[in-house]
Amino acid sequence: MIYCVEDDAGIRELVVYTLQNTGLEARGFSDGGALFDALRLDKPQLILLDIMLPGEDGITILRRLRAAQDTAKIPVILLTAKNTEYDKVVGLDSGADDYIAKPFGMMELVARIRAVLRRTQGEAPEESGSHLLVAGSICVDERAHSVHVGDTEVQLTLKEYQLLCLLMKNRGAVLTRDVLLENIWGYGNESETRTVDVHIRTLRQKLGTGGSMIETVRGVGYRMGDHG
C-alpha cells in the first residue's frame, strides 16, 4: 500500500489512479491529520509526501514520522514544486528517501517508487563475517547500524548511511555519481546526479573531522580515501 499526501485533489487522484493501474495499491490524503489517522490503523510500504500542505507542512510531517518508532522506517518520497538546492538539503536531511520536483511524469514517479521499495525492502542484516568498516577515524558497525568518528557517535539518515557504507566497502576506488545513484537509489539518471552531491555534502558535514576522508574526483565522482 502506498499513501499519497497531496492537497491538490487533481494531482492526488491522478497519482492514486496511476499507481492502482500499475499494480500498486494506493490511498490519498489531503493533509497530515488524515495521514496520521490512517497510520494508526495500518502502515503503508511507502509514503508520497507533498511539502506544501495546509496546516502542518511536509517537512514537519516527515520529522514526526522519523521521530516515532512505529513509522521511522517507512520510506518517504517528497513531492514539491520547490526545486532549490536548499529545499533538497532540508528534505533529505530530514530523512526523505527521495525527492521529486513538480511537474513530474507519472511513469517516472512509478519508477522512483519501485526503486525505493527495492532498496528498502531488499535490506537484510548481516548474518556472518566481519560487520565493522573502518576508514581513518570513521568506524561503521553494520550489525548495530551505528557510525562513530573517533569516540563520537554520528546520526545519519538511511541514505547517508548506505552511501557511507558503499564508499567504505570500495575504499580507494572512484565511484561515479551514476553508480552511486544506481546502488543507493536503485536508478541511474544523469539529471538527478545532484541528489548524490547533496547527500555527500551533508554526510561530510555530519562526519566532521572524518568528512575529509570522502574525496571528490572532479568530473567523475567520489571515493573513500585510502589514507588516514
Side-chain angles (χ1 to χ4, degrees), residues 20 25 30 41 66 95 105 119-122 138 145 152 166 189 197 205 211 216 221:
Q20 290 175 340
E25 292 184 83
S30 60
L41 300 176
R66 291 294 176 252
R119 297 304 308 167
T120 55
Q121 295 181 354
I138 306 170
H145 204 86
T152 303
L166 185 60
N189 185 334
D197 297 335
Q205 291 171 347
T216 300

Side-chain angles (χ1 to χ4, degrees), residues 16-193:
V16 170
Y17 175 82
T18 300
L19 295 181
Q20 290 175 340
N21 278 273
T22 53
L24 296 167
E25 292 184 83
R27 289 182 60 190
F29 307 95
S30 60
D31 56 34
L35 169 67
F36 285 106
D37 285 343
L39 287 171
R40 281 190 280 272
L41 300 176
D42 193 21
K43 302 296 186 293
Q45 294 172 284
L46 181 145
I47 297 173
L48 298 173
L49 181 60
D50 187 29
I51 288 183
M52 303 297 288
L53 292 170
E56 216 173 12
D57 64 73
I59 296 296
T60 303
I61 292 171
L62 175 58
R63 288 171 176 159
R64 283 182 62 189
L65 291 170
R66 291 294 176 252
Q69 185 174 359
D70 61 337
T71 58
K73 298 297 184 181
I74 298 176
V76 175
I77 298 177
L78 292 178
L79 308 176
T80 180
K82 291 187 174 183
N83 193 28
T84 67
E85 183 175 336
Y86 173 77
D87 294 315
K88 285 190 175 184
V89 170
V90 171
L92 297 172
D93 197 45
S94 297
D97 294 273
D98 202 354
Y99 185 112
I100 304 179
K102 299 175 183 176
F104 50 81
M106 287 297 117
M107 291 303 99
E108 177 192 5
L109 176 63
V110 172
R112 296 282 195 94
I113 289 171
R114 294 193 186 280
V116 169
L117 291 176
R118 281 197 303 271
R119 297 304 308 167
T120 55
Q121 295 181 354
E123 292 168 1
E126 295 214 352
E127 299 295 333
S128 60
S130 174
H131 55 277
L132 292 179
L133 301 173
V134 179
S137 60
I138 306 170
C139 180
V140 176
D141 186 332
E142 291 190 284
R143 189 165 295 168
H145 204 86
S146 65
V147 178
H148 286 80
V149 177
D151 295 327
T152 303
E153 184 169 6
V154 178
Q155 299 298 322
L156 302 178
T157 65
L158 177 60
K159 292 303 177 191
E160 290 165 355
Y161 174 81
Q162 292 175 332
L163 188 55
L164 178 61
C165 287
L166 185 60
L167 287 167
M168 293 183 75
K169 288 177 180 178
N170 293 275
R171 189 174 178 184
V174 179
L175 301 180
T176 67
R177 291 173 175 83
D178 284 340
V179 165
L180 293 171
L181 269 174
E182 181 64 38
N183 279 272
I184 304 300
W185 285 267
Y187 63 90
N189 185 334
E190 186 175 343
S191 66
E192 291 297 328
T193 55

